[in-house]
Amino acid sequence: MDRPAVAPDSRPSRVFAAQTLAVGALVLAAAAWLGSSLVAIANFAFRYPAFDQYRLYPGYLRLPFPANALQSENGHHPVLPTLVRLAELRWFAADQRLQIAVGVGTALATLLAIVWVVLRERSTAPAARAAACLLAVVALFWLGNARTLMHGYEAVHVYPTTLLGTLALLAAARARAGRAARRLALAGLACAGATFCFGGGLASFVAAALVAALGGARARALGVLGAAFAAAMLVYVFVLPGDAHVRAALSFDPLGVAAAMARWLSSPWMHAWLGDADAIARASSPHSAPVRVLAASAHVAALPFGADANMSRERFAVGALGIVAYACALAGAWRTRATLGSARLLAIGLATFTLATAAIVCLARVDLFTRLPGQVIADRYSPWPCLFWFALALYALAGAAATRARGRDARRALVAGGLVVFAFLPSQRTQAIWSSLVYRRVQLSAVAAQLGIGEDRPIYGPSDASPALALDTLDLLKRAHLSMFAEPAYALVEHGWQAPDELPPAPAGAAARVVR
């Protein structure tokens, strides 16, 4: 007698299909996001000096080497970035290309280092790894960070710091595999490099020490890292020029600093969603359903906080939520430190690095943030909070086991990645527009400087520089044939045409109108 045919179980194939579709969608989204940002950078990265550069170039040009590489800048000692700028002055006529290349290159290298760790975490579900890679792309290449991505001066001290800090964490994590003292010495060297890129780089020592402790490093090995920290602090705070300014900038107000840290960490959510939703809706696609949903949800989220012109309560609540999530993740990591995977170890390290950076920045800037509340979420700080929130997401996603509930984890990873893209995509577009507008104005400023016409200060010169200082910087660049004055086109007008001292009278009947 024939046995009845038994239908094969199709559940494993459905789970595999769900995982494959989720991974494919997340990878495509990551590639599209990264591509759009790189295209924007290629088109709109500033090709001429802007912002603080008008105040700092005189020091680079007038002081001899190495004194010009060791000066304090805004309370920091960015020795390594300054060496890049001096090399650009020497060999590239200050055309900004070297700074842009180093900044974007180190941002890509930071991304690759994170992705490398995530993809090697085979105990994590494939869709969760793909979602983590997407979120890493968004964190590092969201155009809400256009101030640092487009401006070579900013990029060259932000992204080398993130790269060196990440490499320090990877070296510290490897210490548990053996040769702990040697690997922590390498971590200390990377942390010292990060310190002399940006003041917040000192925070990488704290993060590397925590990662090493979670990995079971002994006190003797940790002492190597401590010695590197002590040496870097000694040079940074007491040896280099401007050390008194660095110490004077610190403010010991624990409650004020803690509140400022929470608000500082809220930056990406405030710019992408809660704080700028109406502006994004107006500048993006006001009739688009996703943008309307984003704006409406921001209004609903603001209701419990009442009227607050500076949105300080919302900022504090968002940042405090992140700090609580970090504390919970750290407690969980410490309980499971014997079996903690590499991705979660990196996540705790990155979160600690950026949280400690928040503490350093707020110690030095709390008075400024009190006088000007909007500065606490200024776009020049935005890359660090972005990495903080990514680190929390990575810690959560790395807990999605590859052998359990694979279909459910695929859906969760897809939803997590989709929600972040949904929330940040409108601001990605509006910040690309901002980049194009600033790029155009910087270009116009350069042409005006070449022709000797225009305003009494360069467009996008620093607000704290006098017109005389800005014009003095232009004069230095002109006499040295640097930046816009090094271009072949400038030679056509250098000795030929000059603007008259007084404008001629307008011809009778002349008129002008703006077409567009």
Side-chain angles (χ1 to χ4, degrees), residues 25 307 349 361 500:
V361 171

Side-chain angles (χ1 to χ4, degrees), residues 255-466:
L255 293 179
V257 169
M261 286 173 60
R263 296 184 179 108
W264 192 82
L265 292 171
S266 72
S267 172
W269 298 108
M270 300 306 296
H271 285 305
W273 175 33
L274 296 172
D276 290 340
D278 286 335
I280 289 169
R282 288 193 299 271
S284 184
S285 301
H287 302 297
S288 167
V291 174
R292 290 203 306 271
V293 170
L294 196 66
S297 63
H299 286 297
V300 171
L303 290 176
F305 300 98
D308 182 2
N310 295 317
M311 306 187 78
S312 57
R313 290 191 289 270
E314 286 171 87
R315 294 172 188 171
F316 178 82
V318 171
L321 182 64
I323 294 172
V324 170
Y326 166 77
C328 293
L330 180 58
W334 188 260
R335 286 196 304 270
T336 60
R337 59 189 180 277
T339 58
L340 201 62
S342 297
R344 280 197 152 180
L345 203 55
L346 176 62
I348 287 295
L350 285 173
T352 304
F353 179 24
T354 47
L355 187 61
T357 299
I360 291 171
V361 171
C362 292
L363 272 170
R365 300 283 192 270
V366 67
D367 292 337
L368 172 67
F369 297 156
T370 301
R371 288 186 288 105
L372 301 171
Q375 286 295 307
V376 77
I377 60 166
D379 51 3
R380 64 183 179 276
Y381 301 127
S382 181
W384 309 104
C386 284
L387 275 178
F388 174 77
W389 293 99
F390 160 71
L392 295 182
L394 175 59
Y395 187 86
L397 288 165
T403 57
R404 178 174 49 84
R406 295 179 64 183
R408 184 175 60 192
D409 283 339
R411 291 192 295 273
R412 287 177 176 174
L414 192 59
V415 168
L419 286 176
V420 170
V421 169
F422 178 85
F424 283 76
L425 189 57
S427 56
Q428 175 84 347
R429 181 179 185 274
T430 57
Q431 288 301 106
I433 295 170
W434 178 88
S435 301
S436 70
L437 295 174
V438 177
Y439 168 83
R440 186 171 301 175
R441 295 196 67 184
V442 170
Q443 296 289 108
L444 290 173
S445 177
V447 173
Q450 289 173 328
L451 298 177
I453 61 176
E455 302 176 3
D456 60 350
R457 72 164 68 204
I459 298 173
Y460 280 85
S463 58
D464 59 342
S466 66

Side-chain angles (χ1 to χ4, degrees), residues 447 449-452 485 487-499:
V447 173
Q450 289 173 328
L451 298 177
F485 304 108
E487 296 178 347
Y490 174 65
L492 300 176
V493 298
E494 182 178 8
H495 303 295
W497 178 86
Q498 293 293 326

Side-chain angles (χ1 to χ4, degrees), residues 30-381:
W33 193 290
L34 180 60
S36 71
S37 295
L38 291 177
V39 167
I41 293 168
N43 280 297
F44 305 131
F46 308 156
R47 305 304 199 272
Y48 300 105
F51 303 112
D52 282 351
Q53 288 174 290
Y54 281 105
R55 181 166 48 83
L56 298 171
Y57 266 125
Y60 300 152
L61 293 169
R62 285 181 171 140
L63 291 174
F65 184 83
N68 54 1
L70 302 177
Q71 297 303 302
S72 172
E73 295 182 9
N74 299 324
H76 305 284
H77 281 301
V79 177
L80 298 181
T82 302
L83 290 175
V84 174
R85 294 168 194 144
L86 294 176
E88 186 180 75
L89 279 166
R90 176 66 178 82
W91 290 300
F92 296 92
D95 65 1
Q96 311 301 303
R97 284 184 299 172
L98 184 60
Q99 292 186 81
I100 294 168
V102 171
V104 176
T106 49
L108 284 169
T110 304
L111 176 64
L112 289 175
I114 293 170
V115 168
W116 180 77
V117 172
V118 170
L119 293 182
R120 286 170 57 90
E121 194 68 51
R122 298 302 177 88
S123 61
T124 300
R129 281 182 277 158
C133 291
L134 168 61
L135 297 184
V137 170
V138 174
L140 285 162
F141 285 94
W142 172 50
L143 292 182
N145 299 330
R147 173 70 181 265
T148 52
L149 289 170
M150 302 297 171
H151 192 193
Y153 168 81
E154 300 280 1
V156 85
H157 68 73
V158 170
Y159 297 108
T161 307
T162 64
L163 175 60
L164 289 167
T166 302
L167 294 178
L169 296 176
L170 298 184
R174 290 286 296 165
R176 62 180 174 178
R179 299 179 179 176
R182 181 180 301 179
R183 284 173 171 146
L184 288 180
L186 290 174
L189 185 62
C191 291
T195 298
F196 293 103
C197 288
F198 174 68
L202 280 167
S204 59
F205 283 104
V206 179
L210 177 61
V211 166
L214 286 171
R218 296 183 178 179
R220 183 176 179 180
L222 287 172
V224 174
L225 194 60
F229 171 74
M233 279 290 289
L234 178 66
V235 174
Y236 195 93
V237 179
F238 295 102
V239 174
L240 290 178
D243 54 294
H245 176 72
V246 172
R247 294 193 298 273
L250 300 179
S251 176
F252 296 97
D253 175 10
L255 293 179
V257 169
M261 286 173 60
R263 296 184 179 108
W264 192 82
L265 292 171
S266 72
S267 172
W269 298 108
M270 300 306 296
H271 285 305
W273 175 33
L274 296 172
D276 290 340
D278 286 335
I280 289 169
R282 288 193 299 271
S284 184
S285 301
H287 302 297
S288 167
V291 174
R292 290 203 306 271
V293 170
L294 196 66
S297 63
H299 286 297
V300 171
L303 290 176
F305 300 98
D308 182 2
N310 295 317
M311 306 187 78
S312 57
R313 290 191 289 270
E314 286 171 87
R315 294 172 188 171
F316 178 82
V318 171
L321 182 64
I323 294 172
V324 170
Y326 166 77
C328 293
L330 180 58
W334 188 260
R335 286 196 304 270
T336 60
R337 59 189 180 277
T339 58
L340 201 62
S342 297
R344 280 197 152 180
L345 203 55
L346 176 62
I348 287 295
L350 285 173
T352 304
F353 179 24
T354 47
L355 187 61
T357 299
I360 291 171
V361 171
C362 292
L363 272 170
R365 300 283 192 270
V366 67
D367 292 337
L368 172 67
F369 297 156
T370 301
R371 288 186 288 105
L372 301 171
Q375 286 295 307
V376 77
I377 60 166
D379 51 3
R380 64 183 179 276
Y381 301 127

